[in-house]
Amino acid sequence: QVQMVESGGGLVQAGGSLRLSCAASGRFFSINTMGWYRQAPGKQRELVTSITKSGNTNYADSVKGRFTISRDNAKNTVYLQMNSLKPEDTAVYYCNARVISGVPAYEGNYWGQGTQVTVSS
């Protein structure tokens, strides 16, 4: 019923930039909060940033000032602009969305497939 497709990952040198995108598709009524998580080797998945439907944002301290989350509600898409990348940012990045769908309507939690971000030193 809902698919989340990510793109934009890759390999970049320290100090470089990447822009991730995640588009939701399928049959649903609306999307509430969207966010980005990441999982580095040997570590648990952690919340990087999130954005509400109205545009309120929050960021993990480790990325504040370097990463920017945004969304285009008309395109059902969330973005993550990553600047001044560090080797510590290397991880698989997953988008997440709370989606209202179904009959009767309910809020489900959906994940993208993950995209690898590798920052070389």
Side-chain angles (χ1 to χ4, degrees), residues 4-5 7 19-25 28 31 34 36 51 69-80:
M4 306 282 291
V5 181
S7 62
R19 186 173 189 250
L20 307 184
S21 299
C22 181
S25 63
F28 52 85
I31 303 174
M34 307 182 80
W36 291 93
I51 183 169
I69 188 172
S70 61
R71 63 189 287 171
D72 185 335
N73 291 335
K75 296 181 178 180
N76 298 318
T77 300
V78 62
Y79 306 94
L80 182 62

Side-chain angles (χ1 to χ4, degrees), residues 74-88:
K75 296 181 178 180
N76 298 318
T77 300
V78 62
Y79 306 94
L80 182 62
Q81 179 66 48
M82 304 184 293
N83 298 326
S84 301
L85 282 162
K86 304 175 181 179
E88 307 92 89

Side-chain angles (χ1 to χ4, degrees), residues 47-69:
L47 176 64
V48 177
T49 178
S50 64
I51 183 169
T52 67
K53 191 174 183 178
S54 61
N56 289 346
T57 61
N58 68 73
Y59 297 89
D61 288 341
S62 60
V63 307
K64 193 171 297 183
R66 300 187 298 118
F67 290 11
T68 302
I69 188 172

